[in-house]
């Protein structure tokens, strides 16, 4: 075993060697936090601490396993006796020994999220509540939030503020559902994930002798990612450290981005106030990123008021400036990013796995997935599904398939009872049996169930008829209207919109954004075909296109290098040579959900900080001046966060004749982008952000454009006209766009203006 302490810099070494009392280690991005935690535990064992007297709490099993293995390599097999693991795994271990005091047996089972949701759904049904209002996922989130704040059923029911919130959300019976859920879990000898925290806290709070036993056993407590702890976790750490006061928490307040999961940044900000005499150590050397990227990130995060000040630095090469791209539309933004990836891949020899595209919401992936496919660049969605594989997207597309081919069995099965219309599996099985017996499609049996001998009651027959009429209505619409019109109609009439717009949970918000983005994609498809000269774009045309996309999603997941696409929340803890942070627009990033809360806005800024600090060598920032939303084109202001980055670290490429809204001048190379004034907080509740004095873009006449002209297109940006042919309504122009490549436009439908 070598002297591992020699591998540490001065700041890291000081944090490892201090073990006389409580300590807070603020670990800047890329500063070697895991190394410090690992070596500190190894050092404690070398100083005579018994392995079972050291408790190390992490947020992932992977982090715990990796640290334990690294410690084992330093100190030998004694490391396996460490109490090291996630909060939930460690606390379940304690509860299996002690839970009898609450009436649980040691072999209690643990419900995962789906088990919990299923039980809540059963209780809602038993209480005869409307499951469209009392959605199981919504109630589950409300109960989980209460448990993470250590609010038990009695306290929940007695809290006027909470009950008023439930009233306003039209779920006033939540307190009673919580009570029944709590009781049913106890009766079933079951705990859910939140209960593992709640019962551990109650164990130590209600039974001081048990608390003292563990507080004496754990002579040293270490906690990773302390900025991500919630109230319950914070309280339990206090309980376990009240005797020895030997506690070391490690984290970075600048990377606190999980308040929606209950994380409380105050836990880390106020740690030194809670533990008197606590030492503060700052790990400020970044080993990941270039000097320029680190300085850009520093200049951004210093705008936050709530923080522990530090000056992160890098001794790597200075590196390139952070490049800002402004696109005419979200479509062009996708092309710009993918062109950059392709260029760096060809020129610099960067592998595709050296690139990451980071976005604020899952719905944004569609544009980039399609741009990557056009270039035949392999990619993967990290921590999620490809856009067209998401449940809500497959549900909608199944309705589309039924509208053009009601005999599609898989689509039929998927949507027959979604959204719920009281047609259960038993009825579907009867329909299937009849279809198999008579060698016809399920749709044929659905139209005449009694003729085919399906044994159903009058109520079920009425429900089947209603579904049949709904699909027939869609078929009529599909035969008469274009893909976008019929798609919008189906999404509304099917009930899917009502289903996912019932509440504002993070899961449902993501589904809503995905559905809206699907409609944006259909609109883009129709507009593109229209400009190419196709006046009627049927739903079948769109389905032919999208079926190829969904096929590609499933057969390209083998080995090999791939561009990574992910939300910024998913990117925390990861690093890439080249990072693209996209969609930097007001109401998108920062999110419109911030409202007028400075605390929430500062968390959005921390999220942007996390995104930038994922980059090792190059960081690119991009925004679009327009996006298709809510059925129309909307114009956007650049994110206020762009103005937070010091001018010295930015590079804005010169763009010929840019539209208003973001107007960099030709020089100098690292000129600060002149971003238009951002809207006031109160104005951010509006759906559309206007940019002032944007030149109008209209369909051009056949004599409005000539070979050699430069045009600005609403979706594709700036391009050179290389050929004009035909006349009148059939006049077409072939245009080579700077980022979107070569396109042929039917001039009577094309929306652009001549700029040169």
């Amino acid at each position: 075993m070598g002297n591992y302490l020699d591998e540490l810099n001065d700041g890291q070494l000081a944090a490892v060697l201090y073990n006389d009392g409580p300590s807070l280690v603020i670990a800047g991005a890329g500063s070697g936090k895991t190394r410090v935690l690992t070596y500190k535990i190894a050092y404690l064992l070398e100083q005579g601490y018994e392995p079972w007297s050291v408790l190390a709490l992490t947020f992932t099993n992977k982090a715990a396993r990796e640290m334990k293995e690294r410690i084992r390599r330093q100190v030998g097999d004694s490391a396996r006796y460490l109490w090291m693991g996630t909060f939930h795994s460690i606390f379940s271990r304690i509860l299996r020994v002690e839970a009898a005091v609450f009436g649980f047996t040691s072999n209690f089972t643990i419900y995962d999220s789906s088990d919990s949701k299923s039980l809540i759904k059963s209780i809602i049904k038993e209480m005869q509540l409307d499951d469209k209002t009392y959605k199981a996922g919504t109630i589950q989130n409300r109960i989980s939030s209460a448990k993470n704040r250590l609010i038990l059923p009695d306290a929940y029911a007695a809290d006027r503020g909470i009950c008023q919130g439930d009233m306003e959300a039209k779920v006033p019976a939540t307190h009673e559902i919580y009570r029944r859920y709590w009781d049913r879990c106890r009766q079933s000898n079951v705990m859910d994930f939140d209960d593992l925290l709640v019962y551990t806290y109650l164990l130590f709070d209600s039974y001081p002798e048990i608390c003292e036993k563990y507080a004496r056993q754990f002579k040293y407590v270490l906690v990773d990612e302390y900025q991500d702890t919630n109230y319950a976790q914070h309280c339990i750490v206090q309980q376990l450290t009240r005797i020895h006061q030997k506690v070391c928490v490690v984290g970075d307040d600048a990377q606190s981005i999980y308040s929606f999961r209950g994380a409380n940044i105050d836990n880390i900000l106020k740690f030194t106030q809670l533990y008197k005499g606590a030492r503060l150590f700052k790990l400020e050397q970044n080993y990941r990123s270039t000097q320029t990227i680190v300085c850009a990130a520093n200049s951004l995060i210093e705008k936050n008021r709530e923080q522990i000040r530090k000056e992160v630095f890098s001794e790597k090469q200075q590196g390139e400036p952070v490049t800002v791209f402004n696109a005419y539309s979200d479509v062009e933004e996708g092309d710009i990013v993918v062109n950059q990836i392709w260029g760096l891949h060809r020129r610099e020899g960067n592998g595709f796995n050296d690139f990451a595209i980071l976005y604020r919401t899952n719905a944004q992936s569609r544009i980039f997935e399609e741009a990557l496919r056009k270039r035949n660049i392999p990619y993967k969605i990290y921590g999620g599904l490809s856009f067209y594989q998401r449940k809500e997207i497959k549900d909608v597309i199944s309705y589309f398939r039924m509208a053009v081919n009601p005999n599609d069995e898989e689509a039929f099965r998927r949507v027959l009872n979604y959204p719920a219309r009281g047609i259960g599996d038993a009825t579907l099985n009867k329909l299937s049996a009849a279809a198999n017996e008579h060698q016809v499609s399920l749709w044929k049996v659905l139209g005449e169930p009694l003729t085919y001998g399906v044994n159903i009651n009058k109520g079920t027959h009425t429900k089947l008829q209603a579904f049949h009429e709904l699909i027939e209505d869609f078929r009529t619409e599909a035969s008469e209207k274009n893909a976008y019109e019929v798609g919008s109609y189906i999404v509304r009439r099917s009930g899917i919109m009502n289903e996912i717009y019932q509440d504002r949970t993070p899961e449902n918000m993501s589904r809503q954004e995905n559905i809206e983005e699907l409609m944006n994609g259909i609109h883009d498809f129709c507009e593109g075909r229209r400009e190419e000269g196709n006046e009627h774009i049927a739903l079948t045309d769109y389905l032919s296109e999208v079926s190829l996309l969904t096929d590609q999603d499933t057969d390209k997941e083998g080995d090999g290098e791939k561009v990574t696409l992910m939300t910024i929340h998913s990117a925390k803890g990861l690093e890439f040579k080249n990072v693209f942070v996209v969609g930097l627009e007001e109401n998108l990033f920062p999110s419109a959900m911030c409202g007028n809360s400075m605390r929430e806005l500062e968390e959005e800024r921390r999220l942007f900080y996390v995104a930038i600090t994922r980059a090792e060598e190059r960081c690119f920032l991009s925004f679009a001046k327009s996006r298709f939303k809510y059925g129309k084109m909307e114009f956007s202001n650049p994110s206020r966060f762009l103005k937070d980055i010091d001018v010295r670290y930015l590079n804005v490429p010169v763009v010929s004749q840019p539209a208003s809204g973001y107007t960099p001048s030709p020089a100098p190379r690292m000129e600060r982008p002149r971003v238009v004034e951002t809207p006031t907080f109160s104005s951010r509740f509006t759906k559309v952000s206007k940019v002032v004095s944007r030149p109008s873009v209209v369909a051009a006449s056949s004599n409005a454009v000539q070979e050699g002209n430069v045009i600005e297109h609403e979706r594709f940006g700036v391009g050179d006209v290389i050929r004009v042919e035909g006349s009148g309504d059939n006049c077409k122009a072939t245009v080579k766009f700077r980022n979107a490549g070569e396109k042929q436009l039917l001039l009577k439908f094309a929306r652009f203006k001549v700029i040169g």
Side-chain angles (χ1 to χ4, degrees), residues 93 99 169 230-231 296 301 345 372 455 473 478 539 546 670 709:
R93 183 175 169 186
N230 61 31
Y231 179 69
I301 201 63
H345 172 69
L372 287 161
N455 182 22
D473 182 32
L539 189 59
V546 83
M670 290 178 62
N709 281 155

Side-chain angles (χ1 to χ4, degrees), residues 256-492:
S256 179
I257 59 173
Y258 293 119
S259 65
F260 66 94
R261 293 182 187 167
N264 187 351
I265 192 174
D266 289 338
N267 293 348
I268 195 166
L269 293 179
K270 297 179 179 178
F271 180 85
T272 54
Q273 299 172 30
L274 185 67
Y275 287 89
K276 299 302 179 185
R279 288 279 300 275
L280 173 63
F281 298 92
K282 298 180 182 180
L283 309 184
E284 296 176 307
Q285 182 171 353
N286 180 303
Y287 291 93
R288 174 187 301 149
S289 308
T290 64
Q291 294 179 37
T292 301
I293 291 171
V294 168
C295 290
N298 285 348
S299 68
L300 168 77
I301 201 63
E302 71 180 11
K303 308 302 187 298
N304 272 12
R305 296 176 189 171
E306 288 193 326
Q307 65 170 298
I308 297 170
R309 300 281 171 182
K310 57 184 175 298
E311 190 61 40
V312 179
F313 67 94
S314 171
E315 293 184 351
K316 294 183 72 174
Q317 71 272 25
Q318 182 174 345
E320 300 177 12
V322 174
T323 299
V324 181
F325 292 118
N326 56 95
Y328 285 81
S329 67
D330 49 355
V331 173
E332 193 195 29
E333 182 185 33
D335 289 327
I336 288 172
V337 168
V338 171
N339 289 346
Q340 284 292 318
I341 290 172
W342 182 250
L344 287 169
H345 172 69
R346 293 291 299 272
R347 291 192 311 273
E348 308 287 338
N350 290 168
F352 289 128
N353 59 347
D354 288 328
F355 297 92
I357 302 173
L358 309 183
Y359 34 77
R360 180 64 182 83
T361 67
N362 276 305
Q364 291 170 260
S365 77
R366 181 189 66 84
I367 290 288
F368 299 98
E369 289 186 65
E370 293 178 4
L372 287 161
R373 286 195 189 97
K374 280 194 297 185
R375 282 277 196 175
N376 288 319
I377 296 175
Y379 69 88
K380 62 182 177 183
I381 307 287
Y382 181 93
L385 293 171
S386 179
F387 184 81
Y388 290 100
Q389 292 298 319
R390 292 167 191 162
K391 179 188 180 299
E392 59 275 11
I393 301 304
K394 296 185 82 168
D395 290 335
V396 173
I397 288 176
S398 291
Y399 270 108
F400 292 174
R401 285 160 54 183
M402 287 292 290
V404 300
N405 174 24
N407 294 308
D408 183 328
E409 181 174 336
E410 288 307 308
F412 183 101
R413 290 177 179 277
R414 189 172 189 98
V415 302
L416 177 63
N417 196 41
Y418 181 79
R421 47 178 62 90
I423 304 172
D425 289 342
T427 301
L428 178 58
N429 291 337
K430 290 176 183 178
L431 295 175
S432 297
N436 291 334
E437 181 183 346
H438 295 278
Q439 295 292 291
V440 295
S441 69
L442 283 168
W443 175 252
K444 188 78 173 171
V445 176
L446 178 74
E448 305 174 84
L450 302 181
T451 301
Y452 286 98
V454 180
N455 182 22
I456 51 175
N457 60 35
K458 185 178 180 181
T460 301
H461 186 262
T462 301
K463 292 170 186 174
L464 293 177
Q465 277 188 313
F467 178 70
H468 189 272
E469 289 168 6
L470 179 72
I471 300 301
E472 284 291 359
D473 182 32
F474 293 164
R475 294 181 71 193
T476 302
E477 293 287 316
S479 67
E480 298 173 352
K481 296 180 178 177
N482 73 26
Y484 179 71
E485 292 170 331
V486 70
S488 300
Y489 182 77
I490 288 172
V491 168
R492 288 196 309 273

Side-chain angles (χ1 to χ4, degrees), residues 30-95:
S31 63
K33 166 180 69 71
T34 303
R35 172 178 287 187
V36 167
L37 262 178
T38 302
Y39 288 2
K40 189 175 185 73
I41 295 170
Y43 182 72
L44 287 170
L45 297 180
E46 287 187 347
Q47 296 304 301
Y49 280 84
E50 301 290 353
W52 52 85
S53 72
V54 176
L55 171 64
L57 298 167
T58 67
F59 273 85
T60 67
N61 288 308
K62 180 172 179 282
R65 284 194 303 269
E66 288 177 355
M67 282 200 287
K68 188 175 283 191
E69 176 56 27
R70 287 166 72 171
I71 294 165
R72 188 195 63 75
R73 289 199 297 267
Q74 294 295 339
V75 301
D77 285 342
S78 63
R80 62 188 175 136
Y81 299 109
L82 287 164
W83 279 65
M84 175 180 282
T86 63
F87 283 89
H88 294 94
S89 66
I90 293 295
F91 296 162
S92 66
R93 183 175 169 186
I94 291 173
L95 287 170

Side-chain angles (χ1 to χ4, degrees), residues 226-229 252-259 263-266 268 569 572 602-604 606-607 609-610:
Y226 201 67
Q227 77 280 350
D228 294 335
T229 54
D252 184 5
D253 56 293
Q255 297 185 67
S256 179
I257 59 173
Y258 293 119
S259 65
N264 187 351
I265 192 174
D266 289 338
I268 195 166
H569 282 101
K572 187 167 175 287
E602 290 204 347
E603 177 156 331
E604 289 286 295
R606 292 194 295 270
L607 189 61
Y609 174 83
V610 166

Side-chain angles (χ1 to χ4, degrees), residues 4-5 8-27 31-44 220 222 247-251 279-284:
Y4 56 90
L5 297 180
L8 303 173
N9 65 34
D10 291 345
Q12 293 171 333
L13 183 62
V16 167
L17 295 182
Y18 179 76
N19 295 307
D20 295 334
S23 61
L24 167 61
V25 180
I26 295 296
S31 63
K33 166 180 69 71
T34 303
R35 172 178 287 187
V36 167
L37 262 178
T38 302
Y39 288 2
K40 189 175 185 73
I41 295 170
Y43 182 72
L44 287 170
Y220 214 106
L222 304 98
V247 55
C248 173
V249 302
V250 181
R279 288 279 300 275
L280 173 63
F281 298 92
K282 298 180 182 180
L283 309 184
E284 296 176 307

Side-chain angles (χ1 to χ4, degrees), residues 674-695:
R674 293 203 298 274
V675 185
V676 297
E677 287 302 310
T678 53
T680 61
F681 280 119
S682 59
S683 72
R684 301 184 68 233
F685 288 106
T686 59
K687 283 186 174 179
V688 184
S689 299
K690 301 284 188 182
V691 288
V692 293
S693 67
R694 188 182 192 277

